[in-house]
Amino acid sequence: MLQIFNPDHDQCLANGNRYYCSSATSLKFAEDCADIMRYADDTLCLLPGTDIRVWGWDQVVRQRLLNMGIDPSLLPDDEMLERIRNLSHRRTSLEMNAFLKQKLSGQERLAYPFQTEIRDMEQLLQTVRKHGSCIVKAPWSSSGKGLRRLYDGEVTGNELGRIARLIAKQGSVIVESLDEVVLDFAMLFETDGQNTSFRGYSLFENERCAYSRGILAGDTHIHNLLASYVGAGLVIELREALSAFLNLRLCGSYRGPLGVDMYICRSPRGEYLLRPCVEINLRLTMGFVAHRLCSEYFSPEAEGHYALQLLHSFSNSELRRQISEPQVLKLLTPLREDSNYAFVIARV
């Protein structure tokens, strides 16, 4: 089986050019951790009629496969890839939130922060002055890259320059108010292009807005944890409503795995609320990897005492020291003489 780990997928979507070349650090990460694909379900992202599997589909990975001599007729065509790119834009999450406002009961336990798409700097400044502290997001998710937190409406000249360049390159940004996040999680789905099925939950931690580690907890434990905050009924209703939206929106446009990121937050009055959609990832995610690892090494009742963790150092000797720490139980990706990245299972 030909497996390609392309963690720069979101950046490739944002750029849109099939000849785009990612940063050296992104390519090094992909090289060092390519074997992480072995720990995702073998059926996910498998191209029909082939033994080709990729992390996420975009023009760059298609061109890479063409350069390897793969028959173009076996690969997603330009039209399909453009649909995936458009659906991966953050405005799809705005559409999903609007849909959920219409469909879900128990709205008093749901959080819908201020959220809008901004296309020019004057509109951005007006929005920041009106709403104060907020977060500015690039249109395509990039695992924490492209996020700018603005506090109390203060925007430095450097921040304005970065956001202006982002709007010039990608056409817009998404601006949202900030919440006090208590728990990050995702619901994992798979679609065959017609019907969407729920595959499980993912519990994860972020550091500086970027993925830090995935907690290896079973679906039963995560479901009960979420229910303890907002009630089991709302969690189940949300799961069904997400499937309904995905069936409507993705029909004929995408087939494969996807994750919907969300969180539990605390309101100013101290209540726990559920933010039903932060972003949608039309690709494999670390959540799927953690879900498979939990099933393989632990149990559906596992309570999250271990995690899928990414270790990183520009010094190979320092990386080896990190891996030798007693909390590291298993090395998941090969450790070479020039490695800078490694995935491990570690105690939480």
Side-chain angles (χ1 to χ4, degrees):
M1 178 181 289
L2 174 59
Q3 302 191 101
I4 296 179
F5 177 50
N6 55 323
D8 59 345
H9 165 69
D10 294 325
Q11 292 138 346
C12 293
L13 288 178
N15 183 274
N17 188 322
R18 71 186 63 211
Y19 300 110
Y20 170 72
C21 184
S22 298
S23 66
T25 53
S26 294
L27 296 175
K28 181 60 174 168
F29 174 37
E31 176 189 352
D32 286 352
C33 295
D35 274 18
I36 199 64
M37 293 289 289
R38 295 170 45 213
Y39 298 98
D41 191 317
D42 289 343
T43 64
L44 293 173
C45 266
L46 185 64
L47 194 62
T50 75
D51 60 355
I52 300 171
R53 196 159 70 115
V54 303
W55 187 257
W57 284 105
D58 54 62
Q59 288 284 2
V60 175
V61 77
R62 183 179 190 273
Q63 188 61 44
R64 178 176 170 183
L65 289 165
L66 290 174
N67 292 344
M68 295 167 64
I70 303 298
D71 185 344
S73 67
L74 298 175
L75 304 175
D77 60 22
D78 288 345
E79 183 180 350
M80 176 63 75
L81 293 177
E82 187 60 23
R83 287 202 294 268
I84 291 173
R85 183 175 186 267
N86 289 334
L87 287 167
S88 298
H89 194 288
R90 289 189 192 274
R91 70 170 64 98
T92 305
S93 68
L94 273 68
E95 295 175 20
M96 177 177 277
N97 281 317
F99 177 88
L100 296 174
K101 280 184 180 181
Q102 298 281 334
K103 296 295 182 181
L104 292 175
S105 60
Q107 292 289 328
E108 70 280 358
R109 288 171 294 165
L110 295 171
Y112 295 104
F114 167 78
Q115 189 180 42
T116 188
E117 186 172 5
I118 300 290
R119 292 183 171 83
D120 63 71
M121 293 302 293
E122 182 58 36
Q123 186 185 9
L124 172 77
L125 292 172
Q126 290 175 2
T127 302
V128 170
R129 283 194 291 266
K130 179 178 180 181
H131 293 277
S133 297
C134 59
I135 186 166
V136 179
K137 299 182 175 183
W140 283 273
S141 166
S142 299
S143 301
K145 298 181 179 68
L147 300 183
R148 302 288 175 190
R149 290 178 181 268
L150 307 177
Y151 294 100
D152 298 324
E154 297 179 1
V155 189
T156 67
N158 285 339
E159 291 290 358
L160 284 175
R162 291 189 186 99
I163 296 169
R165 288 192 293 274
L166 194 54
I167 292 175
K169 286 182 179 179
Q170 299 188 29
S172 66
V173 292
I174 305 297
V175 179
E176 301 177 2
S177 53
L178 289 169
D179 283 326
E180 182 187 348
V181 178
V182 175
L183 186 74
D184 286 297
F185 70 101
M187 291 189 186
L188 310 175
F189 298 89
E190 184 179 13
T191 176
D192 62 5
Q194 300 296 326
N195 298 297
T196 303
S197 57
F198 176 71
R199 292 293 299 263
Y201 297 104
S202 162
L203 195 61
F204 59 94
E205 296 178 0
N206 287 323
E207 186 174 327
R208 300 192 204 98
C209 296
Y211 176 91
S212 172
R213 62 183 181 179
I215 306 303
L216 301 183
D219 286 336
T220 300
H221 173 74
I222 298 176
H223 178 83
N224 291 338
L225 179 62
L226 299 175
S228 72
Y229 285 106
V230 296
L234 180 59
V235 176
I236 294 170
E237 186 184 4
L238 173 59
R239 197 168 73 194
E240 293 172 350
L242 289 174
S243 293
F245 175 85
L246 294 168
N247 283 339
L248 288 170
R249 197 68 179 84
L250 302 184
C251 182
S253 296
Y254 176 75
R255 58 185 301 163
L258 64 114
V260 181
D261 289 353
M262 46 194 88
Y263 55 67
I264 302 292
C265 62
R266 187 182 287 110
S267 76
R269 293 185 296 178
E271 303 167 312
Y272 289 115
L273 304 175
L274 192 159
R275 169 83 185 274
C277 175
V278 177
E279 66 183 38
I280 307 166
N281 295 303
L282 299 182
R283 53 171 169 78
L284 271 172
T285 69
M286 288 302 164
F288 281 100
V289 177
H291 193 267
R292 172 74 178 274
L293 287 170
C294 187
S295 301
E296 186 170 333
Y297 292 102
F298 302 100
S299 75
E301 288 75 36
E303 296 184 355
H305 300 301
Y306 301 92
L308 166 66
Q309 189 153 354
L310 175 64
L311 302 181
H312 164 60
S313 175
F314 290 115
S315 164
N316 184 262
S317 60
E318 170 59 18
L319 181 64
R320 290 174 183 273
R321 187 200 64 77
Q322 293 177 27
I323 292 170
S324 69
E325 291 288 335
Q327 67 267 28
V328 174
L329 272 67
K330 182 178 177 61
L331 178 65
L332 298 173
T333 51
L335 181 61
R336 304 181 183 91
E337 291 184 359
D338 64 343
S339 293
N340 298 132
Y341 299 87
F343 276 108
V344 300
I345 294 176
R347 291 188 184 90
V348 173

